[in-house]
Amino acid sequence: MCIVYLAAFLFSLTSEQCSSKLIEDSSQSFMERMHSGKTSFIYFGNHVNPTIKLFVEQLEMSADALQDYGISVVKVNCSKDAIANYCTGEKLMTRAYLFRGSEVLRSFDIDTVFDVNAIVSHVLFSVLFNEVRYVHTPAELLRVESTAKQNSDIVVGHIPVLGLPEHRALMEAAFVYGTKYQFVQTTGTLVLKHMGVVDPSSSQARLWFLHCKGVSRRSDPCPSTPMRKTLNTINIHTFLQLMEAPLVTESVLDPSEVDVVHMHLGVPVLYLFSQPQTQHLDRATAQTLALQLRGEVGVVLIHRDSPNVKTALKYNAAYRLPQEDVTYFTLNSAEGVVKLFKEELLQEHKLEDEEEDEEHWSDLDILDDEVSESVYRDRDLMLDLESVIELTSHTFQTTVTQNEITVVLFYFKWDAVCMAFIQSYIEVADALEGMNGVKLAAVNCGEWTDICSDQNVTSFPTVLIYRPMADAQLYRGMLGTKSLHGFILLSLVSSPYLLSSSAEVMSFLEGDLYSKHMYLTPVRVLGLFSSTHDMGVTPFEKAARLLRGETILGLFAHKEAEQWVEGLSVNLPALLVSRGPGVPHEVYSLPSSSPTDLVSLIKQVELDRFPELTVENLPWYLELGKPLLLLFIGKEDSTESTKALAEIKRPLSSGQLDSFLPCWIHLGRTPVGRSILEKYLGFVPPLPVLVMSRLKTGEEVFLFPPERPLMAKNILQWIHDVENGHEQPAVPGISHRLPLPCQSWHKVF
């Protein structure tokens, strides 16, 4: 069994070098698979975007790993083969399914199975659902122990976050050793306290071996041995071998001649010499020390009355570290030996673990964004949650149904990003204190795993907004004080505003209704329908509810709506976008669509035609997929910058730049823009400077010739030359780094 386990592990290290084992099923092969009775992990999709491409890459790697466990990994191209029930609906491309024959064991959001470790761990956990027990509380663990006594030993794994490498290692061990041991998994801190962990908020994954098989009386507890090394495949294998090894090995040879399993597993060995007259006492001492050092040190009792033992009588003990010779010493007390190993000889392993932890944090030291900096700075900060309601399983449901809006943060105390965001969350709670109908609360998912599981929270930190009689709404904005505060205030605005006359429409767009929330956003989006009976009204209302907190929408379903599109090449129903008083309105056709499609359309039309790119709005603009025509400026009020902005705006009105995304970055307000410019060009030229990034092809970046005046006609000629291949890229072969703005800021999102 051990050889099989190691072989599987070593194969997994080299499997990525081999051809992919990912299978692509047709309709026929899919139906054959459904009748085979075999286990398959299947993803259904119809096209590839950047997110899906990354997932499919991880799917390919998982195919190699899961093959070792008899599980096939399959993808179905729904564009070629439309499988009924799986190639339709809103969940297409966002879910993967685990089948046993034709039975669906479980479905997964691809956000949950986000990489090869997450795929393997979740799939194996689902396959082993009846073998691996999941416990939340000490009482549940004690019930498992009671059943296991006299039957089998137990392996308990505490996994703070599912889907990480530690979770995969535990599930792979359960797959191999599951017939020999009872495996138990937990994620909460209550069990940690029960197992004697001093700091249950620690982020470390842990493993214990409970010696239940040898316990004869039901009232006796199962002795436990903790694994004190990092939870990975090799360490788990080594630890389980140590648990199978004799507690004390007796020998009639000199220490240098003794061969025990501990030496082959890279574990120190302690040798104790026994005299015939004290043999009973020596055995008891050896047993005591072995129990205290179990899992870390092997213990051998050597009988001195054997003629093969040549060690000088002045020594009564010895030890041997991995890859070293035997060291002899005189044992004065059992406590002294434990101290020798715990405080000196075993410290080298602990120092290595600490160095790995420091390397992890030193990586953050060199990251180039503000979030990473704050994560490092605040990683040991204890925060006061006094202004935030801390929810439990007993208070969650009543709290989220009592208020007009209840904002709930789901977090882990040990997660640095969560702790960095909690400070912003507290600041928002302080700012909204006393506001009627709004409460901010938090759930520590390390303590209350059942709540987080019930609410389908799989990534952290997550913020959900609850309203009575409505589905929870996911907050998708920036993890900062300003963004979250604005989102909550916008959430209090009716969505949509129901308008009953043209006078109210004018008030909504430019009058009193506009002024009431002007400080939140200048943009207003209005749905225009000829009557309330229009079939598009209901989907629009649903879309408006989905966009609460993100934008302000109005609904005018009235015969007078026709006046607002009169003289334009647009018929009702329509969307009218206002960017504030004095700014010409924009009108767009409103096709018959689902609420989710309407959300995408509304988010698109409210985007500025010539935006200033910021950390907050960058993802929305990049989703347009257009080449960037990007102007970098230093001071907005400088003559050169003002002129450059005006020259780019001129061709906008005539539609000559419709195939591009004209935009600009103010290096004073967005300092990371300087790094982006430097990565684009390899240097920072005098400002303002105009570049083109061809995101569709991802091939090159072009620099507007600095010797030419930055004027509209020159810009249009330059674009024409680029498109016809008459301009050379500023930095050829930059494709592996594009789009640079997204890469530079991706950790923020």
Side-chain angles (χ1 to χ4, degrees), residues 149-163:
K149 288 172 183 176
Q150 294 185 313
N151 295 313
S152 67
D153 294 319
I154 300 174
V155 178
V156 180
H158 173 260
I159 307 298
V161 178
L162 303 183

Side-chain angles (χ1 to χ4, degrees), residues 505-511 514 524 526 564 576 578 580-581 585:
V505 171
M506 184 58 71
S507 177
F508 174 77
L509 297 175
E510 299 182 3
Y514 173 83
R524 301 290 183 269
L526 178 64
W564 292 89
L576 186 149
S578 171
H585 300 156

